Amino acid sequence: MFVIFTLLLSGCSSLTVLNPKGPAARTLSDTIIFSILMMIGILVVVYVLYIFMLTKYRARKSNEGYEPPHEEGNKWLEILWTAIPIVIVAILSVVTVKTTVAVEKVPEGYENQKPLVIYASSSNWKWHFSYPEEGIETVNYVNIPTNRPIEFRLYSFGPITSFWIPQLHGQKYAMSDMVTKLNMVADEPGSMLGRNANFSGEGFAHMEFEALAMSPADYEEWVKDVKDTAPELTQDEFNKLLKTEHVGRMTFSTNHLEFSPPPEGHHHGGDSNGNEEHQGHKELHPDPATTEETEFDSESNVNPDEPLPTSPAEESSTHQHDGH
Amino acid sequence: MKWDEFFVTGEPLIYGAMVSIVLVSLAILFGLTYYKKWGYLWREWLTTVDHKKIGVMYIICALIMLFRGGVDAIMMRAQTAAPDMKFLDGQHYNEVFTTHGVIMILFMAMPFIFGLMNVVVPLQIGARDVAFPKLNAISFWLFFAGAMLFNISFVIGGSPDAGWTAYFPLASIEFSPTVGNNYYSLALQISGIGTLLTGVNFIVTILKMRAKGMTLMRMPMFTWSVLITCVIIIFAFPVLTIALLLMMFDRIFGSQFFTMANGGMDMLWANLFWVWGHPEVYIVILPAFGIFSEIISAFSRKNLYGYSSMVASMVVISGLSFLVWAHHFYTMGQGAMVNGFFSITTMAIAVPTGVKIFNWLFTLHKGRISFTTPMLYSLAFIPIFTIGGVTGVMLAMASADYQYHNTMFLVAHFHYVLIPGAVFAVIAGFHYWFPKVFGFRLNEKLGKTAFWFIAISFNVTFFPLFFLGLMGMTRRTYTYSAETGFGPLNMLSMVGAIGLAIGFILLVYNIYWSTRYQPRDKTGDPWDARSLEWSTPSPVPVYNFAVAPEVKGRDAFWFSKKNNEPLSNEKITKIHMPSNTGKPFILGIAFFFLGFFLVFSWWIPSIIAGIAVLIILATMSFDRDHGYYIPVEEIVQTEQKLRGDTV
């Protein structure tokens, strides 16, 4: 079984998760393969002991009348098989914490570039992608430039969904009352499958989109093309679109962020100074009295120039930044 | 409301189910009348407070629910066996996986374990019944009312369709407008109250009713596991009670705890659900560990290795089980530090679990292992469950979980934990204790054939799902296109599912065959086992022990056999027993109707049913029934009859 397992893992490119096209997914893929190898080691120990016990001590005609000894246990053996797992768990803990911190941040080597912010929001069984910097919007497909950090900001117009492009990064929830963030980079051009991974109702199975990584020059050209040729997205049209269950691809030369801001109010997040130590002390304060503001909050956080937060928990923005 | 809103219409499968429900109900009613069994049913079963009979009723229900949940499973596998299948539509598929999850966890695994607990624990500690026999009957009938309420949802009103986790806002009235999730909140609530009462009952039973000389550290491991499980129950289930109550208020009375508007928090539901939901996993797994401990020790003909560390590891697991809930939603965006904390606590559970695995392996060491049917399930558990365990550690790593979450990898993992863990355990326990309750063993040949079908097919069904997960197939997806490449592995999984079904059919056929043809056991100890329950005659008489046993160490019955010392030198005296009562059954019916009327928001009937519940509870409080005595002659006669003439 292990042989098959390792062969499949190394040779099979259909295992999307282990076929990364960007640094974040590569970190995750390495973590997964490391943990699988470690786990196979554990399985081997257990299986060898197991087979040994079953073959050596099974009841046979020849050992009829054999009376097994009374054994209370053995202190040293029991300490041994407590201590070794503790060491294994400690190693895995270090790996987990390191990689978790790493994949939450902008991938290493890309920190100095200005990230491209894209708002990805879900409604019924489709995805809206709004590019605040370019002022354009797409539905059910997203084009991104290669070798540039992309910051997806996720939220939902309904049930919890989970934004997932397995070849670029792991998934993260999109929810209706806060914005979560996912940093990733695509380091080679190509088309990838993205989808909602979290069950969200009847049309969930069809909630897929294409993520197309293209060279920065191609990307610029595409943006220019959209701005020149695509229709505008009006508020009426957007509201109609929200109610639709499924649509194909759509492209607009303006986006919905202006009239339907994402749920990033001052009561949703901490401070935007990007300083981790200080942010730890900031509390969420979901004051019901201010909740109504969400819908009318004109201070929507659509300005990509603001300082980057370091972690999605420390949701950025707020009364401090100067809006636009 | 029109009749076609009340009954589910338009689905040929559901029409078929309706017809078969009506036919089976008529057949049962006719059979009971024709064979004049109404009185027998009422006297011996519906009004019983005997822990053994209540246990048997739990297990019968669990087997029926296993069938129901199994049919759901086969339908899901059939629908996803090939790309673009048209067997079920999206909505129907969503209902099927929701009911599959709820039924298998709450109405199959739980009652099966409670059934074995009921049958075995009082016998293992040398008691005549549980501490509160009437309360025990109430627990059962509340579970039964909840289970029936949940099951009628698919023909009346529509099944819940938001997953067994019922995440908000999907499960809110806005996105799930049918009554399905009302059923969810009320059925789980009613059976949950029963579970909570069972928890209290068994803690008191185990702490207060042990035989003379049985200190806590002399208890059989299964009893230990039940004690710890019940402690988890009384800490975890109140959380579910409150969460379901808030859900009911949201859905029926228009409150806004978990909704999208007015300050409702959908994440709060997810947190509350898993604060209960993760300990719930250990509520079904720890008794399973106890069952395996008993069986592995009995069929190795050795005492359990590392008894104290077995107990300690269960205590540690029960504590940690409350500190890991957020690993069910690492992807909610709570940041690396929170995820790191929950990763470490989750992985830490692997340590005490590993201790148990090695203790079982060393129980086998130097033993004399006989491969009976219950032992086969217990032995198969070790390697299969270890795969479930190590993939659990992989999932515990927050970063990697960003890729496994919501995929078939996760589905494979928890089936690799729950099937060899909980299901193999209850089947093993079922075969092991069956002769104690019914006085004959199940056929070994049929039992072993069923075992090989189940063990092999299980792996064929679920191992491919690990790869499907890594290929990017998400769970709860009712269809996929051929280009995804998911087809072949799903087809393989379907083949396995058919094998599993054959295995379970053989298992049930074995019950029928053995009832007719197996020789009766006169010894009361057909396996040459170790703990007190085997010192009683089989089937166990209503009073359990003719004289209360006295215990001098662990595996008391084993050493009494080895050293030829009787477990007690006392004389038989008259025995005080609790009398039967029909009130728990009637209370269950009242709760059923209360739940049913609330599901449809029919206020006047709801209020009437609510008042009925209160009246029944009040009359129970004023009951002055001091039970009855079984005279000495009757006990002597019963013992002689059951044991041949040896007493």
Side-chain angles (χ1 to χ4, degrees), chain A residues 1 4-5 8-9 14-18 25 28-29 31-32 34-36 39 42-43 45-47 49-50 52-54 57-61 63-74 77-78 81-83 85-86 89 92-93 95-97 99-101 103-104 124 156-160 162 164-178 180 193 195-206 208 276 286 288 291-292 295 311-314, chain B residues 89-91 94 97-98 161-163 167-170 175 259-260 262-267 300-309 328-337 339-340 343-344 347-348 350-351 354-355 357-359 361-362 364-371 379-384 386-387 390-391 393-394 396-407 459 463 466-479 484 530 554-555 558-559 562:
Chain A
M1 201 186 280
I4 301 168
F5 203 81
L8 273 166
L9 286 184
S14 68
L15 296 182
T16 324
V17 165
L18 304 180
L28 296 178
S29 169
T31 310
I32 289 170
F34 169 76
S35 68
I36 288 177
M39 294 305 134
I42 294 169
L43 282 178
V45 172
V46 172
Y47 283 14
L49 270 173
Y50 176 78
F52 171 76
M53 301 298 180
L54 288 195
Y57 298 109
R58 68 174 207 270
R60 299 185 193 86
K61 287 250 162 59
N63 64 4
E64 200 138 12
Y66 160 68
E67 197 56 54
H70 185 86
E71 286 184 307
E72 286 298 338
N74 181 315
L77 272 178
E78 287 171 55
W81 62 60
T82 315
I86 288 177
V89 166
L92 291 171
S93 297
V95 173
T96 304
V97 173
T99 52
T100 309
V101 170
V103 298
E104 292 286 359
N124 274 337
S156 166
F157 287 95
I160 300 174
S162 194
W164 191 32
I165 308 172
Q167 289 184 295
L168 292 184
H169 202 307
Q171 60 193 283
K172 192 159 279 185
Y173 284 176
M175 292 166 287
S176 62
D177 41 7
M178 65 191 275
T180 48
L193 186 74
R195 61 163 302 131
N196 166 23
N198 195 58
F199 174 62
S200 62
E202 202 173 345
F204 159 71
H206 304 293
E208 295 172 343
E276 239 175 325
T291 316
E292 286 173 6
E295 282 123 52
S311 146
E314 290 122 19
Chain B
D89 63 23
Q91 178 61 24
N94 297 344
F97 73 67
T98 302
D161 57 359
Y167 269 19
F168 276 81
L170 182 62
F175 295 100
T259 55
M260 297 209 313
N262 302 321
M265 282 184 80
D266 44 7
M267 298 87 99
S300 307
R301 301 177 65 78
K302 264 186 82 198
N303 62 321
L304 187 65
Y305 194 90
Y307 179 97
S308 317
S309 62
H328 294 274
F329 42 84
Y330 284 140
T331 54
M332 206 178 259
Q334 57 266 50
M337 283 306 125
N339 282 350
S343 291
I344 293 167
M347 283 191 269
V351 176
V355 168
I357 296 275
F358 286 109
N359 277 330
L361 287 174
F362 273 76
L364 297 170
H365 184 239
K366 291 187 186 164
R368 187 168 187 278
I369 305 163
S370 43
F371 295 87
L379 290 175
F381 151 78
I382 294 176
I384 302 177
T386 308
I387 295 179
V390 296
T391 51
V393 174
M394 290 166 65
M397 302 172 74
S399 50
D401 181 70
Y402 296 167
Q403 293 284 32
Y404 307 132
H405 186 60
N406 275 326
T407 67
N459 286 292
F463 206 75
F466 284 120
F467 295 101
L468 283 171
L470 294 177
M471 288 165 81
M473 182 174 180
T474 49
R475 68 194 291 207
R476 298 171 169 178
T477 307
Y478 83 98
T479 189
T484 55
R530 313 177 73 86
R554 286 175 205 153
D555 292 344
W558 178 259
F559 288 104
K562 286 290 146 247

Side-chain angles (χ1 to χ4, degrees), chain B residues 121-122 125 127 129-132 198-212 214-217 219 223-224 226-228 230-231 234:
Chain B
V121 167
I125 61 173
D129 206 321
V130 294
F132 309 113
T198 301
V200 174
N201 207 340
F202 275 81
I203 288 180
V204 179
T205 304
I206 293 170
L207 291 182
K208 301 296 286 184
M209 299 188 60
R210 276 166 289 135
K212 201 170 161 192
M214 185 180 276
T215 57
L216 285 176
M217 289 307 274
M219 295 196 306
T223 302
W224 253 117
V226 170
L227 177 63
I228 295 168
C230 289
V231 173
I234 60 169

